[in-house]
Amino acid sequence: MSERKVLNKYYPPDFDPSKIPKLKLPKDRQYVVRLMAPFNMRCKTCGEYIYKGKKFNARKETVQNELYLGLPIFRFYIKCTRCLAEITFKTDPENTDYAMEHGATRNFQAEKLIEEEEKKIQQEREEEELNNPMKVLENRTRDSKLEMEVLENLQELKELNQRQAQVDFEGMLDKYKEMERRQRERELEEDERETKEMLERALVKRLRDSDSEEETEDAKDQSRKHVADNPTDILTTDRSTGPQGSSSVGVKKQKVESWERSVGGLGVKGALGSLVKRKKPADSAYHSGAGAAQPESSKASNRQPVASQNGSSLSLLGAYTDSDDSNSD
């Protein structure tokens, strides 16, 4: 099996290619090929319609003594699908088509027949003009007259259409401009509405943020008010000097009142004045007869009532301590 795949085959030394017999085949021999019907046709024997694209096992042969520009022409033999009658057609390289030859008629060939008729007329005219110059002049004048008539008829048709249509081009342009203006106004209104909605959303968000900030500030103020539960907390807490208004003044007054209730007012005769007791001078100081001591004791006694009248409880306490120091001396 591997011998059929080799590229270089063995040739014996006495090989002579001229001795190989040549196969002589007839020129009009036929081949069996698979093809499709190139056009619609109808069988002449039974009237069966054979449509374009129908597949057949056909016999193919080369037409003898027929060439077109050196190209060979082939003939095909098929059989009718109903009566098995033989139908033949051949290639037509001049028209790039197929020509019906025997056994059937080609359908839907009106366009091709018209083209062939036009070509025939054109060839006859050229042959006439080739040998007769007067015929050329007559044909040219006839063509010019036909062209003028065609143009006149076309102009008449245009005028008739314009009268019937009654198209106002100015009105059409005005309508188009009006439509464009409305479209622009609609777009501007949509843009303004969108910007307004965006601004409203931003304002609502800002108001919510401000409300939350105010709530936090109120909570802080409430916490600051409730911090000083004891009256003496005013000594350890800092006094707020900011612009609080009447609320801050009221807080200060409450703190001062609580301090005065617990300790007493400064510069006013309070509860500590009753706790301090004056020390009366001893009788021995008058019996000793010391001249220098008498004026001093009298001065101290004179100072004590003045201080008790004008000073506070703390000043009385100071005067009391001064008298003790003088007595001890």
Side-chain angles (χ1 to χ4, degrees):
M1 293 298 291
S2 62
E3 293 178 358
R4 64 185 178 82
K5 296 182 180 179
V6 296
L7 299 176
N8 297 323
K9 295 185 179 181
Y10 174 72
Y11 294 97
D14 57 349
F15 176 73
D16 188 4
S18 61
K19 295 180 179 180
I20 298 174
K22 292 182 180 179
L23 183 62
K24 294 182 179 179
L25 298 175
K27 293 182 179 180
D28 57 348
R29 68 190 182 95
Q30 296 180 353
Y31 300 92
V32 177
V33 295
R34 183 78 170 173
L35 57 77
M36 291 187 293
F39 46 78
N40 298 324
M41 63 185 78
R42 184 181 182 186
C43 179
K44 289 182 178 180
T45 305
C46 64
E48 179 70 14
Y49 285 97
I50 300 172
Y51 297 98
K52 182 178 180 180
K54 181 72 175 176
K55 291 183 179 180
F56 294 94
N57 292 325
R59 288 180 289 114
K60 170 188 170 186
E61 69 177 9
T62 304
V63 180
Q64 298 297 322
N65 301 325
E66 285 190 25
L67 294 173
Y68 176 75
L69 301 177
L71 298 174
I73 297 174
F74 300 102
R75 183 181 287 114
F76 299 95
Y77 298 89
I78 62 173
K79 290 184 179 181
C80 177
T81 56
R82 183 177 181 183
C83 64
L84 299 179
E86 192 173 60
I87 300 171
T88 60
F89 56 89
K90 61 182 179 179
T91 58
D92 187 7
E94 183 179 359
N95 300 316
T96 62
D97 198 0
Y98 290 86
M100 194 70 216
E101 194 173 25
H102 174 71
T105 56
R106 185 170 179 176
N107 299 331
F108 308 107
Q109 206 174 0
E111 185 177 358
K112 185 177 179 181
L113 294 174
I114 292 171
E115 291 177 357
E116 290 178 356
E117 189 69 23
E118 289 178 354
K119 286 181 181 180
K120 189 183 292 185
I121 293 171
Q122 186 68 21
Q123 288 177 359
E124 290 177 357
R125 181 176 178 181
E126 289 176 358
E127 290 176 358
E128 289 178 358
E129 291 178 354
L130 186 61
N131 299 322
N132 191 357
M134 294 299 295
K135 193 71 175 179
V136 175
L137 183 60
E138 290 177 0
N139 292 333
R140 287 182 181 176
T141 54
R142 190 185 303 112
D143 293 339
S144 61
K145 287 181 180 179
L146 289 174
E147 187 176 357
M148 293 293 292
E149 290 177 0
V150 169
L151 291 174
E152 289 178 358
N153 294 331
L154 182 61
Q155 188 66 26
E156 290 178 359
L157 290 173
K158 286 182 178 180
E159 292 177 357
L160 180 62
N161 291 333
Q162 288 181 358
R163 287 196 300 270
Q164 290 179 355
Q166 296 179 357
V167 178
D168 187 8
F169 295 101
E170 297 294 334
M172 291 175 64
L173 293 174
D174 294 339
K175 288 181 180 179
Y176 182 72
K177 291 179 181 179
E178 183 69 19
M179 191 188 305
E180 286 185 347
R181 186 180 63 79
R182 290 179 181 176
Q183 184 69 20
R184 286 196 297 269
E185 290 178 355
R186 193 181 301 109
E187 291 177 356
L188 290 174
E189 290 177 358
E190 290 178 358
D191 294 339
E192 290 178 356
R193 186 172 62 256
E194 289 179 358
T195 52
K196 188 175 180 181
E197 290 177 357
M198 291 174 65
L199 291 173
E200 288 179 355
R201 288 197 294 269
L203 181 61
V204 170
K205 185 177 180 181
R206 192 178 300 169
L207 291 173
R208 289 177 181 173
D209 295 340
S210 62
D211 293 340
S212 61
E213 290 178 359
E214 290 178 358
E215 289 177 358
T216 52
E217 290 178 359
D218 294 339
K220 288 181 180 179
D221 294 338
Q222 295 274 344
S223 61
R224 286 176 184 173
K225 288 180 181 179
H226 293 294
V227 164
D229 293 334
N230 298 325
T232 57
D233 288 342
I234 192 172
L235 300 176
T236 59
T237 57
D238 297 333
R239 295 182 180 179
S240 58
T241 57
Q244 296 282 338
S246 62
S247 61
S248 61
V249 175
V251 172
K252 290 180 181 179
K253 288 182 179 180
Q254 290 178 0
K255 292 179 179 179
V256 172
E257 290 175 359
S258 63
W259 168 257
E260 288 179 355
R261 283 197 303 271
S262 61
V263 177
L266 298 177
V268 182
K269 203 169 189 179
L272 291 176
S274 62
L275 298 175
V276 178
K277 188 176 182 181
R278 298 178 186 176
K279 186 176 181 181
K280 294 180 180 181
D283 295 335
S284 60
Y286 293 100
H287 293 290
S288 63
Q294 290 178 359
E296 292 178 359
S297 61
S298 62
K299 288 179 181 180
S301 62
N302 293 329
R303 283 196 299 269
Q304 287 175 358
V306 173
S308 63
Q309 292 176 1
N310 297 327
S312 64
S313 60
L314 295 176
S315 63
L316 292 174
L317 184 60
Y320 179 75
T321 55
D322 291 340
S323 65
D324 290 340
D325 293 338
S326 64
N327 292 329
S328 64
D329 291 339

